[in-house]
Amino acid sequence: MSDNPNNPSSSKPELGSSLDRALLAARVADDNRGQNMVILDLREVTPSFDFFVIVSGTSRRQLHAISEEIDHAYEEGLGDKRRSVEGYDESRWILLDYGDIVIHMFEPEMREYYALEELWGMGKQIPFESRHKGEA
């Protein structure tokens, strides 16, 4: 197995690669039927973190599942523990803070209201295509 983060056949991203870790969060969200994944590269915008991963979910239950699966993938696959979580009980917007990666999971109307893609629009959007595109 190759641990090279530039090798797409690598199954385990390197802990030090924030881009690979952001992509992992988006893939996990996608595998749990998250919608409209956006990865924003904010390394040139702020020293506070490297990437935002933004995803929509259709229900409180789905947002919880996505959150738990991302936590599991980071802890088990990378040995990386979440620093904090916000909004889990309310579940209209869940924020997972991994230091250099911040993951935002929204119900659609909350995502539209907060408009993080616009607020942080000076960041570069990283291409991500759902594996479930077009599925019902």
Side-chain angles (χ1 to χ4, degrees):
M1 177 178 92
S2 170
D3 285 332
N4 180 350
N6 297 320
N7 179 351
S9 66
S10 177
S11 61
K12 184 176 178 183
E14 298 223 3
L15 184 57
S17 171
S18 57
L19 174 58
D20 282 338
R21 293 171 52 244
L23 287 165
L24 174 62
R27 280 193 302 273
V28 170
D30 186 48
D31 288 346
N32 286 275
R33 299 295 196 254
Q35 300 171 351
N36 304 317
M37 270 70 66
V38 171
I39 302 170
L40 292 178
D41 182 345
L42 300 169
R43 292 176 289 187
E44 294 184 17
V45 177
T46 178
S48 299
F49 38 80
D50 292 346
F51 293 93
F52 273 179
V53 178
I54 305 169
V55 60
S56 295
T58 58
S59 68
R60 174 185 180 124
R61 185 176 190 175
Q62 184 187 29
L63 292 174
H64 277 195
I66 293 169
S67 171
E68 291 165 9
E69 290 299 319
I70 290 172
D71 276 344
H72 179 75
Y74 272 51
E75 286 182 31
E76 297 297 317
L78 303 173
D80 192 7
K81 293 197 183 266
R82 174 178 26 88
R83 292 183 180 183
S84 67
V85 61
E86 297 291 332
Y88 189 85
D89 292 332
E90 297 82 18
S91 300
R92 298 196 71 210
W93 175 8
I94 299 175
L95 180 145
L96 303 177
D97 179 359
Y98 284 92
D100 56 345
I101 310 295
V102 179
I103 303 158
H104 300 270
M105 294 163 283
F106 291 98
E107 287 184 351
E109 56 277 355
M110 293 300 286
R111 183 171 177 170
E112 185 177 328
Y113 177 79
Y114 285 102
L116 292 182
E117 293 96 328
E118 293 175 31
L119 183 64
W120 291 93
M122 69 290 285
K124 177 183 171 192
Q125 190 166 334
I126 302 299
F128 180 84
E129 188 168 327
S130 171
R131 293 185 252 191
H132 306 285
K133 193 173 186 176
E135 290 182 12

